[in-house]
Amino acid sequence: MCGIVAYLGKREAYPILINGLRRLEYRGYDSAGVALMDQGKLTVYKCKGKVSDLEAFVGTRSTQATVAIGHTRWATHGPPNDVNAHPHQSTSGDLVLIHNGIIENYASLKVELVNRGHSFLSDTDTEVLVHLIDDIQRTEKVDLAEAVRLALQSVVGAYAIVVLDKKAPDMMVAARKSSPLVIGIGDGEYFAASDATPIVEHTKNVVYLEDGEIAVIDREHGLKIRNVKNQEKTPFIQELELHLEALEKGGYDHFMLKEIHEQPRSIRDSMRGRLNLAKGEVVLGGITDHEQKFVNAKRILIVACGTSWHAGMVGEYLFEEFARIPVEVEYASEFRYRNPIVGEDDLVIAISQSGETADTMAAIELAKNRGATIIGICNVVGSSIARITHAGSYTHAGPEIGVASTKAFTAQVTVLTLMALMVGQKKGVLSGGHFHRLLNELDAIPEKVQKVLGTEAQIKYIADIYKNATNALYLGRGYTFPVALEGALKLKEISYIHAEGYPAAEMKHGPIALIDEAMPVIVIATKGASYEKVVSNIQEVKARKGKVIAIVTEGDTVVKDLADHVIEIPETSDALVPLLSVVPLQLLSYHIAVMRGCNVDQPRNLAKSVTVE
Ligand code: G6P
């Protein structure tokens, strides 16, 4: 994680960096810092806390500079404090560096450098890098770019870095391996950042650095790219499709609330051009060449983390029901450290909002090395996962900035639904009539989500009653079991209330022991295959004086009589219920967290893009 941003141009760099760091704060917010280069004078300001704390710390001090780098940290090595904050400097003070990633062999490099007379101030792995570059520069008598290149040859791990050198005040050197880095090219000015969000308001022309590439940006000679093997590369300039409005709160109090409310649009965008009702077909352009692989697949493996893993579980049910293909859903972190059985006959679907999650990337590499075909479902266009997979479908949900994922989940489930329906039809598993009914139902989902959003006032009322709960249980069955997991995750990550998601029928094998009058139990009890069974589970909770908040189908009367509160959602087919039933759970967590005074968009200890193992 961590966010990095850099500028070299004609304008004052500091406000550009601060603005950029605010946009990148979703990547980490333990500490922040900047290094400002003004005609060979280097000033570093850094402190524990958020970007706003850094601004307060800098206050009215001089910030004059047209070359600068900035960082917002998510701590890995060493606690969040002023000293561990980036940028880090070499002993001489000539070099200054920001880093996102982890230098795995930092301990052995540090020992060598200490033996060579270097002294360290921080606990970070990053500080080793700046000393290493400095050491090489001195011993090999090379310029900054060459010293960075040589240093990176000794480094094991993941990095996106930007380095400045007092001795070359009109230059910055950036490099990446396994951590993202985008270079923006403006009119006589250059940017570097972890993603395009700090860049888009200045220029639409960007170059996504590839693994092992080093960008040398010089006021006089512009941008040159080479790789660690010293081969020149021609920069591939792309035009950003990102719009600035997508990065603003647009009148909402929090990004999370804005993103929850965007779902009618984001789900529609995920289907746009793919679901053709008139022709009665699903076309997923990105995977057309791999359709036969899907149709012939003996098994599908889904790898993901966090909320994306929950979407993957819905995917399992979808592919099994509609395409009759066995599916295994794996936590990417577990998959990569087993010796999983995966090979040429397997189709692997990797799901990731950010497209940068380190564990998911490693799982993909492993499966790829063993010959599997990898299909990506990513939200961030041009992200690492989108680039290392064989093919894929973007979710098109637009930038998701709230750390707790909401619209990305529904977009992932939408894309998985489209995929499963398409494969089911091509395999002949789904009859024409059934297929068309489902297409029509899917097409109606955005309007139905809009209707669910209309229950917000009622959800706020319920949130007020349960805001002081210490535990909560979420129950679902079939398609709604993953939704129960997702609802529980949303509550714990933003309101810090302990919550568990369970298959409703499993409650009697453990969680039932926890139920008393203080325990809210959130049950998804929509009409469908397991409705009667779930009603019995509600009765079991009520018999033990638990408080039941039920998500029910419009017009339900049975659950209404049993539950303490009901939230109605429109009727739809079982397979599409996740897209509707997750929305009240997102809103419930959001309002409880706000009422508890929690930082909804930046919950403690979390980060949106987890680029460490
Ligand atoms: C982090 C985020 C979650 C996200 C998970 C997987 O934990 O806080 O919201 O679901 O990473 O991220 P990905 O970008 O791969 O979907």
Side-chain angles (χ1 to χ4, degrees):
M1 354 273 233
C2 302
I4 65 178
V5 58
Y7 176 79
L8 184 152
K10 295 174 266 191
R11 293 188 278 161
E12 277 297 316
Y14 180 70
I16 296 172
L17 289 201
I18 290 294
N19 218 7
L21 288 177
R22 273 206 217 97
R23 298 216 190 281
L24 292 174
E25 220 169 6
Y26 73 86
R27 303 179 67 89
Y29 31 84
D30 292 337
S31 58
V34 290
L36 307 162
M37 178 84 79
D38 181 33
Q39 296 174 357
K41 188 170 149 274
L42 194 59
T43 312
V44 174
Y45 298 121
K46 56 182 189 172
C47 65
K48 183 180 169 184
K50 298 188 186 284
V51 177
S52 54
D53 295 304
L54 174 68
E55 274 189 281
F57 173 75
V58 173
T60 55
R61 288 189 248 196
S62 164
T63 53
Q64 200 176 319
T66 52
V67 183
I69 56 178
H71 188 273
T72 177
R73 179 170 186 246
W74 187 87
T76 57
H77 295 62
N81 59 29
D82 296 353
V83 178
N84 289 334
H86 298 214
H88 290 284
Q89 271 181 286
S90 58
T91 313
S92 64
D94 281 359
L95 300 190
V96 68
L97 175 144
I98 47 174
H99 168 222
N100 163 216
I102 287 188
I103 307 303
E104 286 167 16
N105 60 338
Y106 84 102
S108 56
L109 290 172
K110 192 167 180 175
V111 171
E112 265 176 54
L113 287 161
V114 168
N115 289 341
R116 294 167 64 78
H118 290 259
S119 52
F120 288 80
L121 302 174
S122 77
D123 313 310
T124 65
D125 52 333
T126 301
E127 199 184 359
V128 169
L129 259 185
V130 72
H131 284 277
L132 181 64
I133 297 167
D134 175 70
D135 197 81
I136 291 174
Q137 211 183 23
R138 282 160 198 282
T139 49
E140 304 291 326
K141 310 238 175 314
V142 289
D143 68 2
L144 177 66
E146 183 60 2
V148 169
R149 190 182 74 79
L150 295 173
L152 293 179
Q153 291 180 341
S154 324
V155 165
V156 179
Y159 53 79
I161 55 167
V162 187
V163 200
L164 300 181
D165 182 355
K166 235 157 98 168
K167 304 184 290 308
D170 290 312
M171 173 191 272
M172 67 184 184
V173 177
R176 74 153 270 180
K177 186 178 164 233
S178 303
S179 293
L181 196 60
V182 192
I183 309 289
I185 306 171
D187 181 15
E189 57 183 6
Y190 297 87
F191 307 81
S194 300
D195 68 28
T197 60
I199 299 176
V200 65
E201 62 194 276
H202 306 292
T203 176
K204 294 253 174 189
N205 296 327
V206 295
V207 175
Y208 289 93
L209 275 200
E210 298 288 339
D211 268 359
E213 287 186 346
I214 301 166
V216 182
I217 297 163
D218 185 291
R219 213 183 274 283
E220 201 183 327
H221 303 106
L223 166 70
K224 293 248 165 10
I225 298 181
R226 56 168 114 155
N227 63 15
V228 278
K229 292 185 188 140
N230 214 11
Q231 294 156 325
E232 284 254 353
K233 298 270 166 173
T234 312
F236 173 53
I237 302 173
Q238 303 185 40
E239 195 172 327
L240 283 177
E241 283 178 16
L242 195 63
H243 296 289
L244 197 54
E245 313 80 71
L247 307 174
E248 311 283 355
K249 283 189 200 149
Y252 287 94
D253 287 343
H254 298 95
F255 281 110
M256 183 181 177
L257 188 61
K258 176 188 171 217
E259 288 156 7
I260 292 173
H261 279 267
E262 275 175 350
Q263 289 177 112
R265 184 204 48 75
S266 53
I267 294 173
R268 176 68 66 206
D269 286 348
S270 304
M271 299 194 272
R272 199 177 300 286
R274 294 170 166 173
L275 189 165
N276 188 331
L277 280 186
K279 284 196 183 161
E281 63 176 14
V282 171
V283 179
L284 289 162
I287 58 166
T288 328
D289 294 346
H290 292 75
E291 261 171 35
Q292 277 316 308
K293 268 267 173 198
F294 269 101
V295 169
N296 300 330
K298 296 272 169 301
R299 177 175 79 142
I300 293 176
L301 280 163
I302 298 182
V303 292
C305 303
T307 289
S308 299
W309 185 82
H310 295 154
M313 284 192 69
V314 180
E316 173 183 7
Y317 293 29
L318 288 164
F319 273 102
E320 293 197 348
E321 179 175 356
F322 297 135
R324 302 306 294 151
I325 302 173
V327 180
E328 286 169 38
V329 189
E330 301 267 3
Y331 282 117
S333 54
E334 285 295 311
F335 179 78
R336 61 181 291 200
Y337 283 116
R338 292 205 314 272
N339 185 5
I341 300 168
V342 53
E344 284 172 18
D345 293 335
D346 288 311
L347 190 77
V348 175
I349 301 179
I351 310 175
S352 175
Q353 186 287 128
S354 64
E356 301 294 344
T357 302
D359 284 321
T360 309
M361 282 179 67
I364 293 170
E365 295 294 1
L366 189 157
K368 220 173 153 183
N369 288 339
R370 296 192 184 180
T373 301
I374 322 288
I375 305 294
I377 298 182
C378 294
N379 193 38
V380 177
V381 177
S383 56
S384 303
I385 291 178
R387 286 184 291 150
I388 61 171
T389 44
H390 293 112
S393 298
Y394 282 116
T395 43
H396 297 307
E400 191 181 66
I401 293 166
V403 166
S405 187
T406 52
K407 65 173 178 172
F409 174 79
T410 45
Q412 291 163 343
V413 172
T414 304
V415 171
L416 285 161
T417 309
L418 288 169
M419 272 185 190
L421 292 180
M422 183 195 79
V423 180
Q425 189 215 21
K426 297 247 179 288
K427 279 188 76 171
V429 177
L430 273 176
S431 72
H434 192 189
F435 178 70
H436 281 93
R437 256 196 321 282
L438 286 163
L439 287 196
N440 278 298
E441 292 223 20
L442 185 57
D443 185 62
I445 287 292
E447 284 68 42
K448 291 184 179 176
V449 170
Q450 192 64 55
K451 206 160 175 207
V452 179
L453 290 168
T455 59
E456 186 166 6
Q458 188 199 352
I459 293 171
K460 217 167 154 180
Y461 169 82
I462 298 171
D464 194 42
I465 300 173
Y466 296 100
K467 63 179 184 292
N468 295 322
T470 47
N471 294 288
L473 183 62
Y474 286 71
L475 302 177
R477 206 163 172 158
Y479 278 103
T480 62
F481 164 48
V483 178
L485 294 177
E486 176 59 9
L489 177 64
K490 287 292 86 87
L491 188 70
K492 68 186 134 195
E493 65 185 345
I494 61 169
S495 69
Y496 318 137
I497 295 173
H498 171 244
E500 301 226 27
Y502 249 81
E506 275 291 304
M507 178 183 67
K508 56 187 172 295
H509 298 293
I512 200 163
L514 299 170
I515 292 173
D516 60 17
E517 56 278 5
M519 177 76 138
V521 182
I522 296 93
V523 190
I524 305 148
T526 44
K527 290 269 172 61
S530 336
Y531 176 69
E532 272 83 24
K533 309 270 177 218
V534 176
V535 171
S536 305
N537 297 136
I538 293 176
Q539 260 151 348
E540 287 156 16
V541 174
K542 285 314 298 173
R544 283 147 190 97
K545 300 197 169 62
K547 298 282 183 291
V548 172
I549 303 162
I551 314 294
V552 299
T553 310
E554 261 169 6
D556 184 297
T557 48
V558 178
V559 178
K560 212 173 242 167
D561 286 344
L562 287 172
D564 297 83
H565 313 273
V566 293
I567 300 161
E568 290 191 340
I569 62 171
E571 188 163 7
T572 187
S573 123
D574 263 12
L576 304 182
V577 169
L579 291 168
L580 302 182
S581 55
V582 75
V583 177
L585 306 189
Q586 296 167 341
L587 285 169
L588 184 67
S589 317
Y590 170 79
H591 285 293
I592 289 181
V594 171
M595 288 170 188
R596 288 165 71 92
C598 299
N599 186 337
V600 172
D601 283 335
Q602 295 172 346
R604 71 182 178 211
N605 305 338
L606 296 176
K608 187 142 195 76
S609 179
V610 183
T611 55
V612 298
E613 287 184 19

